[in-house]
C-alpha cells in the first residue's frame, strides 16, 4: 500500500497546524495547473470554428453543462462553474492517479469526504436559503399515508444525512479498490513462474483499461449526484 | 500441464505471502488513508487548490468557453435565419415562376385556340367564297347553255324555214315567203 | 482462536457484501439491455440512469469491501 502513503515533501506549519506540502498536495497543485493551463491555452484562439484542442475544451464544457441542464434546468446554470470545478478536479485527479508511480489524491477518504461534505453543506445551505424551513418538507414525501410517516420520515432523514458519506466512500472505495486490485495482480506477475507470468500481466493490462473507465465514471457519478442533490435543494421536486 | 500445476501449487504459499506483503508493506501504520496526522495538510491543500480552481474556472476559463459557444450559437442562429429567409425568397420566386409558367401555358393554349378558330373561319370564308364563285360560274354556264340551246333551236327553225322555202320553190316553183312558212311551222308545232 | 485468523475471517465475511453488488449490477445492466433491445430508440436517454444505478449498486458492495480493508489494515 505504499502508493497511498502520504510523504511530506516540504514540511510547513501555520498557526500550529501541519500544512506540509505533501505528495498529495503536489498532485492537487499539478491538477490545478493542468486544468487551468489546458482550458486557458485551448481557448487562446477563440475561433468560431474550433481547433482540435479547443473542441476538446468545449466538449468537456458542453458535457458538464448537459448534466447540469438535464438535472437542474436552465436556471441551475448559475451553479455551473462550481459543478464544473468539481467534475474536472475529480476527473483530473483520477486520471493522474492512473499514471504508474503517481499518487491518487481521490483514493484518500479525507479528500473525498471533504468534497462530499462541501457538496452536502452547499446543497443544504441553498435549500434553506431558498425555501426557509419549508425545506424540511423534503423529508415528508407526497402520497405517503399518514400512518407510514413515523417510518418514512426517519428513513428520509437518515438517507439525507448519509449522503456525504455514501458520496465520499463511493469515490474513495472505487479508486482504492481499483488500485489495490492492480497492485495485487501485478504482484502475481512477480511471484508466478515462467510463462504463467503472462496471465497476470495481460489481466493487469485489461484491468487498467477498465480502471480508466472507472476513473471517468466515478467523476461523472459524483457530478450527477451533486446535481441531483442540488436539484433537491433548488427545485424541491418531491 | 500437470507439471505446471505442481509448480504452481508449490509456488502458492509464496504467492500468498507476496500478496500479503503487497497489501501489507507498512503494517505498522495500517491503512495510510486512516492516518490522522495526514488529514490536516490534505484538507488545507485541497481547500486551497479547489478554491483557486473554482475562482479560475468562474472568472477566466468558463466565461471564455461560454462566450465562444454562445457566439457560435448566435452565428448559427443568424445563419439559419438567413437561410430561412433565403429559402422563403426562393419559394416565392419559384411560385412566381410557376405562376408565369401557368400563365404562359394558358396564354399559349388560348392563342392556339384563337389561331385555330380564326384559321377555321378564314377557311370557311374562303371555302364559301369559292363555293359561291363555283355556284355562280355553274349558273352562268347553265344560262349560257340554255341561251345557246335556245339560239340553236331558233337557228334550227330558221334553217328549217329556209330549207322549206327552198324545197317548196324547187318542187312547186311557187315562191313562198319566209313569213308564211314560219307561221305555218308555228301552227304545225302547236 | 488466533485473533489474527479471526481478523482474516472477518475481512472475508465482509467481502460478502460484494455478492449483492454483483447481483445488483448484473440486474441493472441486464434489465437495461432487455429494455434497450425492446425499444432501442429510448435506450440512449436512459444511459445516465443506467450509470447512476450502476454506481449506487456498486457503492453498497464497496462499503463492505471498505469494512474488509479497515478490518485488515485499520
Amino acid at each position: 500500500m505504499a502508493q497511498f502513503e502520504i510523504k511530506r515533501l516540504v514540511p510547513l506549519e501555520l498557526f500550529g497546524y501541519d500544512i506540509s506540502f505533501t505528495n498529495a498536495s503536489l498532485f492537487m497543485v499539478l491538477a490545478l495547473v493542468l486544468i487551468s493551463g489546458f482550458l486557458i491555452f485551448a481557448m487562446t484562439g477563440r475561433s468560431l470554428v474550433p481547433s482540435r484542442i479547443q473542441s476538446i475544451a468545449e466538449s468537456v464544457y458542453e458535457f458538464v453543462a448537459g448534466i447540469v441542464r438535464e438535472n437542474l434546468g436552465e436556471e441551475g446554470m448559475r451553479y455551473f462553474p462550481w459543478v464544473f470545478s468539481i467534475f474536472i478536479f475529480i476527473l483530473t485527479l483520477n486520471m493522474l492517479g492512473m499514471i504508474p508511480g503517481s499518487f491518487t489524491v481521490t483514493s484518500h477518504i479525507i479528500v473525498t469526504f471533504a468534497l462530499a461534505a462541501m457538496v452536502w453543506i452547499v446543497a443544504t445551505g441553498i435549500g434553506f436559503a431558498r425555501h426557509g424551513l419549508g425545506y424540511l418538507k423534503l423529508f415528508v414525501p407526497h402520497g405517503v399515508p399518514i400512518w407510514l410517516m413515523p417510518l418514512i420520515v426517519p428513513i428520509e432523514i437518515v438517507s439525507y444525512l448519509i449522503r456525504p458519506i455514501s458520496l465520499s466512500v463511493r469515490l474513495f472505495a472505487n479508486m482504492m479498490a481499483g488500485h489495490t486490485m492492480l497492485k495485487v495482480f501485478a504482484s502475481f506477475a512477480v511471484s508466478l513462474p515462467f510463462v504463467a507470468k503472462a496471465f497476470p500481466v495481460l489481466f493487469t493490462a485489461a484491468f487498467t483499461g477498465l480502471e480508466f473507465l472507472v476513473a471517468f465514471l466515478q467523476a461523472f457519478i459524483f457530478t450527477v449526484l451533486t446535481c441531483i442533490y442540488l436539484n433537491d435543494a433548488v427545485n424541491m421536486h418531491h | 500441464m500437470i507439471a505446471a500445476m505442481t509448480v504452481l501449487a508449490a509456488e502458492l504459499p509464496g504467492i500468498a505471502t507476496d500478496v500479503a506483503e503487497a497489501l501489507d508493506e507498512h503494517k505498522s501504520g495500517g491503512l495510510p488513508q486512516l492516518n490522522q496526522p495526514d488529514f490536516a495538510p490534505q484538507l488545507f491543500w485541497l481547500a486551497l487548490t479547489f478554491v483557486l480552481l473554482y475562482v479560475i474556472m468562474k472568472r477566466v476559463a468558463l466565461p471564455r468557453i461560454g462566450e465562444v459557444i454562445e457566439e457560435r450559437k448566435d452565428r448559427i442562429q443568424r445563419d439559419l435565419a438567413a437561410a430561412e429567409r433565403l429559402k422563403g425568397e426562393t419559394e416565392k420566386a419559384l411560385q412566381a415562376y410557376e405562376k408565369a409558367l401557368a400563365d404562359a401555358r394558358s396564354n399559349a393554349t388560348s392563342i392556339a385556340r384563337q389561331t385555330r378558330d380564326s384559321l377555321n373561319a378564314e377557311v370557311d370564308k374562303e371555302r364559301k367564297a369559292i363555293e359561291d364563285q363555283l355556284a355562280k360560274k355553274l349558273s352562268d354556264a347553265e344560262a349560257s347553255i340554255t341561251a345557246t340551246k335556245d339560239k340553236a333551236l331558233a337557228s334550227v327553225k330558221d334553217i328549217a324555214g329556209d330549207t322549206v322555202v327552198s324545197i317548196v320553190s324547187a318542187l312547186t316553183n311557187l315562191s313562198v315567203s319566209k313569213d308564211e312558212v314560219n307561221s305555218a311551222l308555228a301552227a304545225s308545232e302547236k | 482462536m488466533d485473533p489474527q485468523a479471526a481478523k482474516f475471517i472477518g475481512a472475508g465475511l465482509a467481502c460478502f457484501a460484494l455478492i449483492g453488488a454483483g447481483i445488483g449490477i448484473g440486474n441493472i445492466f441486464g434489465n437495461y439491455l432487455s429494455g434497450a433491445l425492446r425499444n432501442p430508440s429510448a435506450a440512449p436517454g436512459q444511459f445516465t440512469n443506467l450509470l447512476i444505478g450502476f454506481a449506487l449498486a456498486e457503492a453498497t458492495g464497496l462499503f463492505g469491501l471498505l469494512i474488509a480493508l479497515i478490518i485488515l489494515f485499520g
Side-chain angles (χ1 to χ4, degrees):
Chain A
M1 310 296 252
Q3 57 171 324
F4 299 126
E5 205 115 320
I6 299 282
K7 296 183 193 73
R8 283 170 176 69
L9 304 176
V10 183
L12 289 172
E13 203 167 303
L14 187 73
F15 306 127
Y17 290 103
D18 181 13
I19 57 157
S20 306
F21 190 81
T22 61
N23 49 353
S25 319
L26 174 68
F27 276 87
M28 289 188 223
V29 172
L30 191 62
L32 171 68
V33 171
L34 279 178
I35 297 164
S36 314
F38 171 73
L39 287 183
I40 292 171
F41 172 72
M43 297 310 290
T44 43
R46 293 202 200 191
S47 49
L48 217 51
V49 178
S51 59
R52 210 171 298 177
I53 188 165
Q54 188 185 330
S55 73
I56 294 173
E58 281 178 16
S59 55
V60 176
Y61 179 100
E62 287 288 349
F63 178 71
V64 183
I67 298 174
V68 174
R69 274 198 204 98
E70 195 181 310
N71 289 292
L72 285 165
E74 202 57 50
E75 189 203 4
M77 286 305 278
R78 196 146 35 113
Y79 309 110
F80 172 68
W82 183 61
V83 176
F84 184 86
S85 305
I86 290 174
F87 174 76
I88 198 82
F89 196 52
I90 293 175
L91 180 69
T92 312
L93 290 177
N94 287 354
M95 287 301 177
L96 281 176
M98 290 309 297
I99 300 169
S102 72
F103 181 84
T104 317
V105 180
T106 43
S107 68
H108 273 253
I109 181 75
I110 186 66
V111 172
T112 62
F113 183 75
L115 284 170
M118 172 186 72
V119 168
W120 188 81
I121 290 168
V122 167
T124 310
I126 290 171
F128 277 113
R130 285 180 76 103
H131 306 288
L133 285 179
Y135 186 53
L136 292 175
K137 277 193 219 129
L138 190 71
F139 302 125
V140 189
H142 288 304
V144 176
I146 291 292
W147 56 271
L148 261 180
M149 282 301 177
L151 191 66
I152 294 291
V153 172
I155 291 177
E156 287 281 329
I157 291 174
V158 168
S159 80
Y160 189 85
L161 293 179
I162 214 168
R163 277 176 178 182
I165 298 170
S166 67
L167 194 57
S168 58
V169 167
R170 179 179 303 113
L171 177 56
F172 153 69
N174 263 293
M175 297 319 294
M176 187 189 164
H179 284 266
T180 310
M181 191 87 161
L182 283 177
K183 168 100 188 185
V184 168
F185 275 90
S187 72
F188 283 161
V190 178
S191 52
L192 279 177
F194 322 122
V195 196
K197 283 183 197 297
F199 295 108
V201 168
L202 287 177
F203 181 86
T204 307
F207 200 75
T208 305
L210 185 70
E211 276 305 298
F212 273 107
L213 179 70
V214 168
F216 168 77
L217 200 60
Q218 290 307 319
F220 172 68
I221 296 287
F222 199 99
T223 314
V224 169
L225 287 173
T226 300
C227 287
I228 289 173
Y229 296 164
L230 263 183
N231 184 43
D232 276 350
V234 174
N235 298 321
M236 271 192 78
H237 292 310
H238 225 67
Chain B
M1 189 66 197
I2 291 163
M5 293 280 271
T6 46
V7 170
L8 210 79
E11 290 276 344
L12 270 179
I15 293 168
T17 50
D18 275 349
V19 172
E21 269 168 25
L23 294 172
D24 223 38
E25 278 162 32
H26 295 266
K27 201 163 169 4
S28 51
L31 266 189
Q33 282 94 332
L34 299 177
N35 187 16
Q36 294 198 7
D38 287 343
F39 285 2
Q42 293 207 71
L43 286 178
F44 172 80
W45 284 98
L46 175 67
L48 186 72
T49 46
F50 188 80
V51 168
L52 265 177
L53 180 75
Y54 176 69
V55 170
I56 294 173
M57 290 298 112
K58 193 179 162 72
R59 296 254 174 271
V60 188
L62 293 183
R64 285 192 189 181
I65 303 178
E67 231 168 66
V68 169
I69 289 175
E70 211 54 43
E71 200 184 314
R72 181 176 312 134
K73 213 181 274 171
D74 282 356
R75 176 71 177 275
I76 288 171
Q77 208 61 45
R78 269 207 307 277
D79 287 2
L80 276 180
E84 198 65 35
R85 194 166 44 77
L86 287 177
K87 201 178 147 206
E89 272 170 24
T90 312
E91 248 157 38
K92 229 184 278 169
L94 200 69
Q95 263 173 3
Y97 163 74
E98 253 161 29
K99 195 163 158 285
L101 200 68
D103 282 358
R105 196 170 291 145
S106 66
N107 248 1
T109 37
S110 76
I111 287 173
R113 195 182 303 124
Q114 259 172 20
T115 315
R116 199 179 326 120
D117 286 357
S118 69
L119 277 177
N120 276 350
E122 215 165 292
V123 168
D124 277 355
K125 215 170 80 189
E126 215 137 293
R127 193 190 310 125
K128 208 161 182 191
I130 289 169
E131 270 172 5
D132 284 357
Q133 225 172 319
L134 281 177
K136 200 169 141 228
K137 268 188 189 165
L138 209 65
S139 63
D140 280 1
E142 258 165 24
S144 78
I145 286 169
T146 23
T148 315
K149 207 164 85 186
D150 287 353
K151 215 158 112 192
L153 279 174
S155 325
V156 167
K157 271 181 196 165
D158 208 19
I159 291 166
D162 282 351
T163 316
V164 169
V165 171
S166 314
I167 291 172
V168 169
S169 62
L171 286 180
T172 61
N173 276 337
L174 285 173
S175 83
V176 183
S177 78
K178 205 171 175 186
D179 291 341
E180 282 169 333
V181 171
N182 274 358
S183 59
L185 276 174
S188 73
E189 269 177 20
K190 278 181 188 164
Chain C
M1 193 192 283
D2 179 13
Q4 198 64 23
K7 213 169 135 179
F8 284 133
I9 293 170
L13 286 176
C15 284
F16 275 124
L18 290 162
I19 298 172
I23 294 172
I25 295 169
N27 248 329
I28 286 165
F29 277 96
N31 286 333
Y32 173 77
L33 207 56
S34 65
L37 287 174
R38 273 169 206 270
N39 187 1
S41 58
Q46 297 306 313
F47 195 69
T48 311
N49 284 339
L50 171 76
L51 293 183
I52 292 170
F54 162 76
L56 293 176
E58 194 196 25
T60 55
L62 287 175
F63 293 160
L65 186 68
L66 189 70
I67 300 294
L69 288 171
I70 289 173
I71 291 173
L72 280 178
F73 307 108

